[in-house]
Every structure is written in structure tokens, then in C-alpha cells.
Amino acid sequence: MKQSHCTVHTATPSTLRLPITWGETACATIAVIDPELRSRQQMGRAIRRLGHWPLVFTSALELMQACSYLHLRFDAVVVACPVDAGAAGALIAQVREQVGPECPLVLSGGKRGLRELAVLHARESDHVEVTPSSFEEAYLLMRCFLQWHRARVAGQFVEWGSFRFDLSADSAQVAGIRVELTPNEFDLAIVLFRNVDQVLTHHALRALVWDSGHRCGSGVLSTNVCGLRRKLGLGAGRHGLELQAVPGQGYRLSTTASAPEENRRRQREPVRRAGERAWGSAAAAPGSAA
């Protein structure tokens, strides 16, 4: 497996990118090319939970069209390689032509073709791994890649009062009791809990949670909001937080009078996350939890 400590230049903002508002720190744009819907969604979700911005494509042709019409630039590209060695080489060559030789690739493939990928097609800045079979594996793969390139990595846990979320395993707890959330409900909760007391627009929430972005209807968003209110007890503010609709704008997860003082004080202070570094930093890679 070829790897190196390289400096990756942050992409210029595109018309599709929205800021991940928590911390207001550098956010890398990472493309995902994978014809399989399930694995494509898992990889996009893993990138979002690690604090970066995924744009997903089913083929190199879609990537080419996006780069041509929208003038996109990427900090890295995740490529699901086909089994056939010739087809894999052609795909990687197409991707490199679009994103340039300096952009690192995450090449994933079957165990039998892994050595050939590493020897024939990977460069020093690339990362070659077996194709992840679950979200947890996709999360660990991308966390390893980002840390190796000294990129900022979001902590594994998001905690606020009685609430605790494990980003690597879709695990949510309220007052020590596990709550079952769908993947979209979980991702929506993470965005809201990272931005307590801030209004998040409908457009921002759809773009930050769903790969389809603007194609995600308002009914899908409202359904997931209702699910969170019910499952996490955010309708009555029982645990110091209330999920409110802001007419004509979006939603806000607001602190209530019963919120723990420590958490309310934390919201008033500037966001500082120890150990996190901007993409391309020369400092040691972070690995601490939030």
C-alpha cells in the first residue's frame, strides 16, 4: 500500500459547497465515484461525519461533466475500482485527467486485485484499501486516510447533556438509553447538535444530510425532523433542548431554561476543538474525540 505525508491544497469554494458551520474551520471537498448506491451512500456519510464535504458520482463521466459545468476542484477522490484490471486502470486514468496529478486518490478494490492496484496505478499520495463492506469500515478507511494526510478530523463522539452520539457506529443514547435512529435521522441530529442555538435553513440541512441535496423534497426533511423530536424527546425540551421550526427559514435546536449551565456556557464561547488541524497542516494528525 502506497502512502506518504503529503500536503494537500484546499479546494477553492464551489457553488455547491456550503460551510459546515461548527467551528468554521477548513473543510475539504472529496469526490466519491462508485456505481453501487449503497456503498456510495455509506462513503458519503462517512466523509460528512468526519467533518468534510462529499460530492458523489456514479461514474467518471458524471465527474467530468460536473468539473466542466461547475468548475469544481477536489482535495481528494475516492474511487471504487472494477475487478477487471484494464477497466480499473482506464477509470483511474480518466479520474486523474480530470482532477490533476496532485490530487490524492483513495483506491478501493477486491482483495485479489489489491496488489495490482498498488503496484500499477497508485502513487505516493494515494491510499489503496479493500472495498469496505459496511459503514463502519468506510468510516475507518476515511479516518485513516485523512489522518495520514494530516487533515482535520471530527471527533468520534458528539455529546450534549444527556445526549451522546457515536459517529462511527450510528449509536445514539439519551440519558444512557440507546435510541434507534435511521441513518438520515442520525446525520440530521449530528448537524443540529453541532450547531445548537443556530438557525439552519431548509436548503442547508438538505445539502448537509442528503447526497441528493436540492433534489431532496421538503417533506423528507420534515418527516425526519418529526422523527427526531419523537425519538429524542426534543418536542417538549425534556433534556434541555427543543427542536423548533423557524417559519420561512428552517429549524433551530434551542437550549431551554432546564439546559445544563455547562452546555449553555459552551454555546456562548468560541468553538475550539483541541487537536483539530486544517487540511494540509504540518502539525501532527488529530485523533481525539470531541
Side-chain angles (χ1 to χ4, degrees):
M1 180 168 61
K2 296 185 179 181
Q3 299 173 328
S4 72
H5 294 278
C6 75
T7 299
V8 184
H9 300 285
T10 304
T12 55
S14 72
T15 55
L16 289 185
R17 180 190 285 184
L18 291 173
I20 307 294
T21 56
W22 55 275
E24 298 295 340
T25 52
C27 171
T29 302
I30 302 176
V32 178
I33 301 176
D34 190 338
E36 297 296 328
L37 174 62
R38 182 172 175 271
S39 54
R40 187 169 69 240
Q41 290 177 334
Q42 288 175 344
M43 187 60 71
R45 191 178 305 129
I47 293 168
R48 274 195 300 271
R49 292 192 188 175
L50 288 162
H52 297 283
W53 182 252
L55 289 178
V56 299
F57 306 95
T58 61
S59 65
L61 177 60
E62 280 192 4
L63 175 72
M64 179 184 70
Q65 292 172 338
C67 290
S68 299
Y69 294 122
L70 300 172
H71 306 291
L72 296 174
R73 292 179 59 191
F74 301 100
D75 297 287
V77 182
V78 182
V79 184
C81 298
V83 176
D84 180 75
L91 173 60
I92 294 168
Q94 288 177 321
V95 172
R96 291 198 196 279
E97 183 178 357
Q98 290 302 314
V99 302
E102 300 301 321
C103 182
L105 306 183
V106 180
L107 305 175
S108 66
K111 291 181 179 179
R112 295 180 63 182
L114 208 61
R115 179 178 176 80
E116 190 167 13
L117 276 178
V119 172
L120 298 181
H121 304 297
R123 299 181 180 180
E124 289 301 317
S125 62
D126 296 338
H127 196 98
V128 182
E129 282 287 356
V130 175
T131 300
S133 60
S134 65
F135 167 76
E136 289 79 4
E137 290 184 5
Y139 179 91
L140 291 174
L141 187 160
M142 289 308 302
R143 186 180 185 90
C144 176
F145 171 77
L146 290 167
Q147 289 181 324
W148 190 263
H149 284 273
R150 300 182 179 183
R152 178 182 60 80
V153 178
Q156 180 178 341
F157 300 97
V158 172
E159 297 178 290
W160 201 100
S162 301
F163 300 92
R164 189 173 194 268
F165 302 89
D166 182 347
L167 276 65
S168 68
D170 281 350
S171 175
Q173 293 183 4
V174 181
I177 300 174
R178 175 152 184 164
V179 178
E180 295 296 331
L181 300 177
T182 67
N184 285 337
E185 289 173 341
F186 192 98
D187 287 344
L188 180 59
I190 296 306
V191 173
L192 292 166
F193 274 83
R194 281 174 169 167
N195 297 281
V196 173
D197 286 331
Q198 297 185 50
V199 176
L200 298 175
T201 66
H202 297 101
H203 173 70
L205 288 171
R206 290 196 295 266
L208 292 170
V209 175
W210 285 271
D211 290 331
S212 54
H214 65 280
R215 296 192 295 273
C216 172
S218 58
V220 174
L221 176 58
S222 62
T223 298
N224 282 268
V225 166
C226 290
L228 282 185
R229 283 200 185 105
R230 175 173 51 84
K231 295 178 181 181
L232 299 181
L234 298 174
R238 288 187 307 228
H239 300 283
L241 290 172
E242 185 174 1
L243 182 50
Q244 303 168 327
V246 181
Q249 297 185 55
Y251 294 94
R252 177 175 55 217
L253 186 59
S254 303
T255 53
T256 65
S258 62
E261 175 58 28
E262 177 185 354
N263 287 305
R264 283 191 277 128
R265 184 173 63 250
R266 188 182 305 164
Q267 296 308 314
R268 295 193 295 267
E269 297 174 347
V271 178
R272 297 184 179 94
R273 292 177 178 269
E276 292 184 354
R277 298 292 185 270
W279 179 266
S281 168
S288 60

